[in-house]
Amino acid sequence: MASEADLRARLQRASQEHLLRFCAELAPEPRAALLAQLEALEPEALRQHCQRAAAACARPPGPPSDLAARLQPLPPERVGSATEGDPQTRRLWEEEGFHQIALNRVAVLLLAGGQGTRLGVTYPKGMYQVGLPSQKTLYQLQAERIRRVEQLAGERYGTRCTVPWCARLHSLGPRVIPPTPTCVAPALLRTRTRTPAQPQTEPSPHPEGGLPVPSARGTRPFARLAQPCLPCRYIMTSEFTLGPTAKFFKEHDFFHLDPNNVIMFEQRMLPAVSFDGRAILERKDKVAMAPDGNGGLYSALEDHQILEDMERRGVEFVHVYCVDNILVRLADPVFIGFCVLRGADCGAKVVEKAYPEEPVGVVCQVDGVPQVVEYSEISPEVAQLRAPGGGLLYNAGNICNHFFTRDFLRTVTRELEPLLQPHVAVKKVPCVDEHGHPVKPLQPNGIKMEKFVFDVLPFAKNFVAFQVLREEEFSPLKNADSADRDNPSTSRRALLAQHCRWALRAGARFLDAHGTRLLEQPSLPGSTEPPAICEISPLVSYAGEGLEELLRGREFRPPLILDEATAKELRP
Ligand SMILES: CC(=O)N[C@H]1[C@@H](OP(=O)(O)OP(=O)(O)OC[C@H]2O[C@@H](n3ccc(=O)[nH]c3=O)[C@H](O)[C@@H]2O)O[C@H](CO)[C@@H](O)[C@@H]1O
């Protein structure tokens, strides 16, 4: 480890020597932890990062003044629809998607490095359960949807296939940490910051006794990666979410997925910076760090050689999605098939925006190039503009479900990642005052720099958007129940309303306690309480398929919990 004098000299070069101001008064252990954290920061990159953050923050807030003039909706030829148009074409897309899944060419990649601040939980959002009768968490629902889609593809093509999420570490020997040859800007973190005792080339034990976690950037904890014919799920976590997520999966036996096909990897962290360009001390012995945004995906893919792993497995197409949408269709065959048949290298699912201020990015064109303009970066005036038909002009709401070819991701990690511009988020960052006392700021005091996953869209050669029905595919869990929207209650309702619709469409009848038929309304909106509680396990139905043989003409007193066991009893 570098001496304190060396570190001081390095920090001086970065104009960040204040980070050592409490060092002399620290006990040996916290002192060593601080020095280890500081040693991991490249001085030049740290200097640039702090300068860039302060400069970005000094610019006038809000979108560029000429943005409105440069925006256009996406041209219709770039947009497909899951619901409009010819059912035969939709079947072709679906068939193509299942075919690719059956060939093990499709992987799902979950972005799970966020902190769930708005929801107000201290654990990863995927571990949240919204109060379904089954008490399933978001992670469980997602795992079960993967199992079902694998089963459906397997049945169609007579194969045993897998859609690969990386976790097993034990079978791999230590590996050398490679340099980052593709980064133009120096990487800020020399290695992932851990305690000084942490080994650099061996997977380290999970802090809470669960799965091992990657110990340093470039040490790849992936086990038995070369399993042929088994598609995968990749889960990007951050320092905040990796440990608990890995432990949770292990405790739940990976929800019966093969652990070899669940690959967890960690994104980088960046220091939070004050408005005058100084990295913030969260404690006397710790620099305040935050994940580098969901666009940190691209450095993380490179850091952990995820694309090489995909190549070994034969994965060609990747469905990237965000953790909090209870209705998410993982590896959706229709979306995959649409993108593949259109020869797209990059795609995004969209829904019609519900209202102008809805906090969703808008998929549109800027200067004629497809892009997502994030909700935080569009002015209210532009968001409210109307098209001639009366609907919102910019109505293609991004639901953070993206399609990428592996080749495109390779180009991004090799060439384009350094070109992605970080976005500035001004936040309240817990810190210490000049005496080293902890402070919980009431006003924003710091800048976090984040890249966004969709910032690669402008580089696509053939970008397509795919419009889906909100009530079938989008109900995000962003806020606590104290908020009006996008909270646990709205998520729960959306799922239960969907399942009630599916059951009614399949011919089920619900009776009340007196044996009277309950209202039948197969087009039930997701925003209201369904007339009957009905929850259908994803292991029974992925998107409403296969229910007629179980439900047609039958009467049920709710709640109807249609899990695998009940389905077996009902199956003729
Ligand atoms: C940048 C981005 O994609 N914004 C989209 C995101 O907004 P939104 O602001 O809701 O994005 P979140 O902060 O919820 O992050 C989206 C996803 O990225 C993950 N994450 C976040 C930060 C990070 O450093 N690492 C990481 O993995 C989160 O765990 C989550 O799964 O979802 C909305 C739909 O719900 C979209 O309309 C927004 O356009």
Side-chain angles (χ1 to χ4, degrees):
M1 195 202 303
S3 69
E4 187 181 329
D6 282 350
L7 282 175
R8 193 171 293 280
R10 276 173 21 190
L11 289 172
Q12 266 164 359
R13 288 207 300 280
S15 308
Q16 302 296 325
E17 63 272 27
H18 66 280
L19 295 175
L20 281 171
R21 65 190 294 193
F22 301 109
C23 188
E25 60 188 83
L26 293 172
E29 215 174 291
R31 188 169 167 277
L34 176 68
L35 296 182
Q37 193 188 15
L38 294 174
E39 188 180 11
L41 301 172
E42 286 285 355
E44 179 50 24
L46 178 62
R47 192 185 62 77
Q48 284 184 16
H49 170 73
C50 295
Q51 270 184 358
R52 233 185 259 141
C57 189
R59 286 196 282 275
S65 52
D66 62 345
L67 182 65
R70 296 162 53 203
L71 280 188
Q72 280 171 321
L74 278 180
E77 63 273 15
R78 283 204 185 272
V79 189
S81 165
T83 49
E84 288 165 16
D86 165 23
Q88 176 62 20
T89 309
R90 189 184 180 285
R91 271 197 294 278
L92 277 178
W93 295 334
E94 186 179 50
E95 206 48 56
E96 177 67 22
F98 274 128
H99 189 216
Q100 297 298 340
I101 292 168
L103 292 171
N104 294 316
R105 289 192 184 143
V106 178
V108 289
L109 194 156
L110 166 60
L111 302 169
Q115 286 176 275
T117 325
R118 281 176 283 169
L119 181 59
V121 293
T122 51
Y123 52 85
K125 252 192 201 181
M127 289 163 52
Y128 196 88
Q129 59 126 327
V130 298
L132 294 170
S134 67
Q135 307 204 335
K136 286 178 186 172
T137 57
L138 295 175
Y139 280 151
Q140 182 168 356
L141 292 168
Q142 293 171 18
E144 292 183 352
R145 284 187 197 132
I146 293 173
R147 287 174 57 196
R148 175 72 181 165
V149 86
E150 288 170 353
Q151 185 195 346
L152 290 171
E155 280 169 11
R156 280 177 192 230
Y157 287 93
T159 58
R160 186 178 163 252
C161 63
T162 320
V163 180
W165 262 353
C166 193
R168 280 300 186 76
L169 326 179
H170 330 286
S171 64
L172 280 185
R175 292 194 188 174
V176 179
I177 303 172
T180 40
T182 54
C183 274
V184 173
L188 183 55
L189 288 183
R190 292 148 64 90
T191 63
R192 246 195 34 68
T193 311
R194 289 266 180 215
T195 55
Q198 186 129 17
Q200 295 290 296
T201 52
E202 296 265 6
S204 53
H206 183 276
E208 291 159 74
L211 281 174
V213 297
S215 58
R217 182 171 161 229
T219 48
R220 294 169 299 281
F222 316 128
R224 296 191 289 273
L225 298 182
Q227 284 256 355
C229 302
L230 292 176
C232 256
R233 311 96 184 126
Y234 297 86
I235 305 184
M236 183 175 81
T237 57
S238 66
E239 192 173 294
F240 298 120
T241 57
L242 176 65
T245 301
K247 184 163 180 262
F248 190 73
F249 271 70
K250 188 160 187 258
E251 280 167 2
H252 291 85
D253 196 19
F254 286 79
F255 305 104
H256 306 288
L257 292 164
D258 181 344
N260 288 309
N261 298 319
V262 181
I263 296 127
M264 292 183 200
F265 60 102
E266 204 172 340
Q267 68 180 105
R268 298 183 192 177
M269 304 284 283
L270 293 173
V273 181
S274 65
F275 300 144
D276 58 357
R278 287 149 58 94
I280 294 175
L281 273 179
E282 181 182 329
R283 294 192 313 248
K284 287 180 180 179
D285 60 348
K286 186 172 185 293
V287 183
M289 304 287 282
D292 57 353
N294 60 14
L297 170 66
Y298 306 110
S299 332
L301 289 176
E302 184 70 10
D303 289 348
H304 301 286
Q305 305 209 336
I306 299 297
L307 295 180
E308 288 74 2
D309 178 49
M310 289 181 178
E311 191 173 353
R312 275 195 292 276
R313 293 171 185 262
V315 168
E316 296 293 339
F317 309 112
V318 188
H319 176 210
V320 174
Y321 71 100
C322 91
V323 68
D324 55 23
N325 175 12
I326 196 166
L327 302 180
V328 64
R329 292 193 178 166
L330 293 92
D332 176 11
V334 185
F335 179 47
I336 303 286
F338 168 75
C339 294
V340 171
L341 289 174
R342 290 283 293 262
D345 49 359
C346 177
K349 264 193 190 180
V350 297
V351 295
E352 242 178 73
K353 271 183 76 171
Y355 51 96
E357 312 75 35
E358 186 180 13
V360 291
V362 171
V363 186
C364 57
Q365 297 200 133
V366 181
D367 302 326
V369 179
Q371 198 166 315
V372 178
V373 177
E374 188 61 316
Y375 56 91
S376 49
E377 297 177 354
I378 195 164
S379 69
E381 295 75 31
V382 173
Q384 279 166 13
L385 289 175
R386 298 277 161 184
L392 290 174
L393 181 62
Y394 297 109
N395 77 343
N398 172 39
I399 64 168
C400 201
N401 269 244
H402 302 290
F403 166 93
F404 298 114
T405 59
R406 183 170 49 80
D407 284 350
F408 179 71
L409 290 174
R410 169 59 72 216
T411 309
V412 172
T413 57
R414 289 229 170 112
E415 297 164 26
L416 304 172
E417 197 287 330
L419 305 178
L420 304 179
Q421 294 302 316
H423 302 252
V424 175
V426 177
K427 305 257 174 165
K428 293 179 208 159
V429 181
C431 57
V432 289
D433 65 15
E434 63 272 28
H435 306 294
H437 299 136
V439 178
K440 277 206 159 172
L442 299 173
Q443 298 299 327
N445 61 328
I447 307 159
K448 292 183 179 174
M449 301 283 273
E450 297 184 334
K451 290 187 174 178
F452 291 166
V453 66
F454 51 64
D455 283 342
V456 298
L457 261 61
F459 300 103
K461 291 202 170 74
N462 185 12
F463 168 78
V464 291
F466 192 60
Q467 179 153 15
V468 297
L469 271 186
R470 173 184 291 264
E471 62 180 20
E472 285 296 318
E473 299 206 31
F474 186 53
S475 179
L477 175 62
K478 303 286 180 190
N479 307 310
D481 259 330
S482 50
D484 291 343
R485 295 184 162 114
D486 302 340
N487 59 35
S489 301
T490 56
S491 298
R492 182 180 60 247
R493 267 202 308 266
L495 188 91
L496 294 177
Q498 180 189 58
H499 290 183
C500 192
R501 276 195 312 270
W502 289 356
L504 291 171
R505 279 181 208 156
R509 302 285 171 260
F510 291 106
L511 307 178
D512 68 11
H514 311 289
T516 311
R517 264 197 198 173
L518 289 168
L519 181 72
E520 284 163 25
Q521 197 187 346
S523 61
L524 204 63
S527 50
T528 52
E529 284 298 339
I533 298 292
C534 166
E535 184 184 346
I536 300 172
S537 165
L539 298 169
V540 175
S541 186
Y542 172 85
E545 81 291 340
L547 297 174
E548 283 87 355
E549 64 162 344
L550 308 176
L551 304 180
R552 177 155 307 283
R554 293 186 188 250
E555 294 182 327
F556 300 94
R557 281 179 208 273
L560 168 62
I561 312 297
L562 186 50
D563 54 17
E564 281 181 299
T566 313
K568 204 168 169 194
E569 283 166 22
L570 292 172
R571 193 155 281 129

